[in-house]
Amino acid sequence: MNRPPIRPAQGKLGILTPGLGAVATTFMAGVEAIRRGDAKPIGSLTQMATIRLGERREGRAPLIKDFVPLADLDDIVFGAWDPIPDDAYTAAQKAGVLTPQDLEPLKDFLSAIRPMPAVFDQRYVTRLHGTHVKQGRNKRDLAEQLRQDIREFKRASGAERVVAVWCGSTEVFIRPSAVHQSISAFEQAMEEDHPDIAPSMLYAWACIMEGVAYANGAPNLAADTPALIGLAEREGVPISGKDFKTGQTWMKTVIAPGIKARMLGLDGWYSTNILGNRDGEVLDDPASFKTKEESKLSVLHTILQPETYPDLYDGFSHVVRINYYPPRGDNKEGWDNIDIAGWMGYPMQIKVNFLCRDSILAAPLVLDLALFSDFAQRAGLRGPQEWLSFYYKSPMAAPGLAPEHDLFIQQTKLKNTLRHLMGEALVTHHEEERDP
């Protein structure tokens, strides 16, 4: 089947972030520093990774940004919503991710980014107190206000195209219910202020209705429902999620495939974290932690496939803990104890102590998801973008299919999707590639 041509990345690309906290401000500051030549886009596949084309003997391996028609960083403009009225500079100061040495040269730029009032309800994020919030007669009205915000942002910024990347907090755990099963049921539930319609879902609905690609960086249900998947398919909008894969879970998707590749057994995996930023404060609420826990726990089971390999993985113990510890700020620390089994069942252990910077790891993911989502829309893709699962802890998948969690399979899928869309052969690493 011949695909329609990919539309060029002409004009400005607006990137809207629901949430203007540590992740969003670190992302915005970093992009501006890169544009000024003061930083490198470390951690970004779109900016620094290469992609092999054709057979190895051809020696073709351009940068992804030189192979795929992505938006240029100089063409990006920013906007945001947040329940706290601080501009991006003030929010970045409070987040404490970036040093004054890196932040002060960007003060004028960041100070000009002021958040629009958010759709916020403390019932869904109990540890935050928002004052910069929208008022409306019902949830449908609030969602329509978000649509108007998007239109006004496009007009004021001059953006030709807009994408949205959720950088807000983790909401309380919500199971899919009848209101999420069809577009009509969802829209009726908005009118009725149904409790199963969370703010993140209103953002997703508004973005899809405005033709704005939506990437969900939190484990919130958001667009991952039949109703909003159907809406995205109908409106021709790419969506992706859920939950940025940045720290401990990223390491799991690196280590677990290695254990499975060697057919080593797993008896248990104990993970604990300390985190002191706004995300840690929100996750201190058990209802919000439940949402995060569901996202984190799904990874190992899917990679290891205990149903297929019961002798190796049946009944393994997987425990995840997150502890709010204010002195640590954004510098998260994770400990993993991994109990594995080898030849004749002899036990061994792997210990991991990962001292990471949460928002520093997340910021390049926001950039890549924004650029790839915009590219997907210009390429005519719609609905869930499974090829972007590389970036998520709990990736969306087609109905009836389990999501792929193996980082290396995800990377192959991402690059092969780019090759396919650009008319290049897929790379299979088949033996016939060798020289005769």
Side-chain angles (χ1 to χ4, degrees):
M1 182 180 71
N2 291 327
R3 283 197 163 276
I6 298 169
R7 300 194 306 274
Q10 293 179 338
K12 294 180 181 179
L13 172 65
I15 300 178
L16 285 170
T17 63
L20 190 62
V23 171
T25 58
T26 302
F27 156 63
M28 294 171 182
V31 170
E32 181 62 12
I34 293 161
R35 293 194 290 207
R36 296 181 183 189
D38 296 331
K40 298 289 185 183
I42 296 171
S44 167
L45 269 68
T46 61
Q47 304 304 301
M48 302 202 79
T50 61
I51 182 168
R52 176 186 143 193
L53 304 177
E55 297 184 1
R56 283 179 292 172
R57 66 174 65 91
E58 297 178 38
R60 293 192 294 147
L63 290 168
I64 288 176
K65 69 176 183 178
D66 294 335
F67 171 60
V68 178
L70 301 175
D72 191 272
L73 297 191
D74 287 334
D75 292 332
I76 292 174
V77 290
F78 300 105
W81 293 273
D82 201 272
I84 297 169
D86 295 338
D87 61 65
Y89 172 75
T90 304
Q93 277 189 312
K94 290 182 178 180
V97 178
L98 303 175
T99 65
Q101 179 181 352
D102 289 325
L103 199 55
E104 286 307 309
L106 304 171
K107 181 176 181 179
D108 290 346
F109 170 77
L110 292 172
S111 296
I113 302 172
R114 299 181 178 277
M116 296 173 280
V119 172
F120 177 79
D121 187 330
Q122 197 174 11
R123 291 176 296 176
Y124 299 92
V125 185
T126 64
R127 299 299 168 94
L128 293 188
H129 304 277
T131 59
H132 191 57
V133 300
K134 296 186 186 301
Q135 303 296 325
R137 64 181 182 276
N138 57 30
K139 292 180 178 180
R140 176 64 178 262
D141 181 41
L142 293 171
E144 293 290 354
Q145 291 181 46
L146 293 174
R147 293 185 67 181
Q148 184 58 39
D149 286 346
I150 294 169
R151 297 180 200 128
E152 177 57 25
F153 169 74
K154 287 186 71 173
R155 185 199 65 77
S157 67
E160 293 286 334
R161 310 173 314 284
V162 177
V163 298
V165 183
W166 177 276
C167 296
S169 297
T170 298
E171 296 170 334
V172 299
F173 184 65
I174 295 176
R175 292 191 185 278
S177 66
V179 303
H180 304 121
Q181 299 309 306
S182 69
I183 299 170
S184 59
F186 184 90
E187 292 179 343
Q188 181 63 32
M190 287 197 296
E191 295 280 1
E192 296 172 354
D193 277 339
H194 196 286
D196 285 353
I197 305 297
S200 64
M201 299 175 190
L202 301 181
Y203 281 96
W205 182 87
C207 287
I208 294 168
M209 290 296 290
E210 289 300 312
V212 171
Y214 184 84
N216 178 18
N220 309 329
L221 197 57
D224 194 10
T225 65
L228 293 184
I229 289 172
L231 186 66
E233 296 276 3
R234 188 189 81 184
E235 299 295 320
V237 176
I239 56 175
S240 66
K242 309 181 296 268
D243 204 2
F244 297 138
K245 183 160 57 184
T246 52
Q248 195 169 61
T249 306
W250 166 55
M251 294 302 297
K252 285 182 179 178
T253 63
V254 172
I255 296 171
I259 293 172
K260 181 184 175 186
R262 281 294 313 274
M263 288 287 106
L264 297 172
L266 179 71
D267 294 323
W269 197 312
Y270 179 85
S271 302
T272 188
N273 300 264
I274 57 173
L275 179 62
N277 61 12
R278 189 194 294 183
D279 193 31
E281 182 179 7
V282 168
L283 293 174
D284 204 38
D285 169 45
S288 290
F289 174 71
K290 175 66 174 174
T291 308
K292 177 69 76 171
E293 183 182 38
E294 290 283 324
S295 176
K296 282 176 166 283
L297 288 177
S298 64
V299 172
L300 291 183
H301 189 278
T302 307
I303 292 175
L304 297 175
Q305 298 176 288
E307 298 86 356
T308 304
Y309 304 102
D311 290 340
L312 297 174
Y313 308 121
D314 185 46
F316 72 87
S317 178
H318 187 196
V319 178
V320 176
R321 297 285 183 265
I322 299 176
N323 299 288
Y324 178 48
Y325 182 58
R328 192 52 60 99
D330 198 67
N331 297 336
K332 180 166 65 176
E333 184 165 4
W335 293 271
D336 289 86
N337 177 80
I338 310 162
D339 288 292
I340 63 175
W343 189 250
M344 298 173 64
Y346 276 78
M348 296 174 280
Q349 289 187 335
I350 301 171
K351 308 281 190 182
V352 180
N353 181 203
F354 188 17
L355 289 82
C356 64
R357 298 176 182 267
D358 203 43
S359 298
I360 293 296
L361 289 170
L365 274 59
V366 179
L367 175 62
D368 284 359
L369 285 166
L371 295 182
F372 278 144
S373 296
D374 172 58
F375 168 70
Q377 190 151 24
R378 288 185 285 108
L381 304 184
R382 60 182 65 200
Q385 302 300 299
E386 291 188 57
W387 63 284
L388 296 178
S389 63
F390 178 83
Y391 295 101
Y392 295 113
K393 290 187 184 76
S394 184
M396 297 174 68
L401 294 179
E404 181 56 66
H405 284 285
D406 184 318
L407 187 75
F408 306 103
I409 296 175
Q410 291 174 333
Q411 183 189 44
T412 298
K413 187 178 184 73
L414 187 154
K415 289 190 173 183
N416 269 340
T417 298
L418 297 178
R419 294 180 184 109
H420 171 68
L421 292 173
M422 297 302 293
E424 289 280 347
L426 307 188
V427 170
T428 63
H429 307 287
H430 192 267
E431 277 295 311
E432 291 181 2
E433 289 182 359
R434 294 187 304 178
D435 289 323

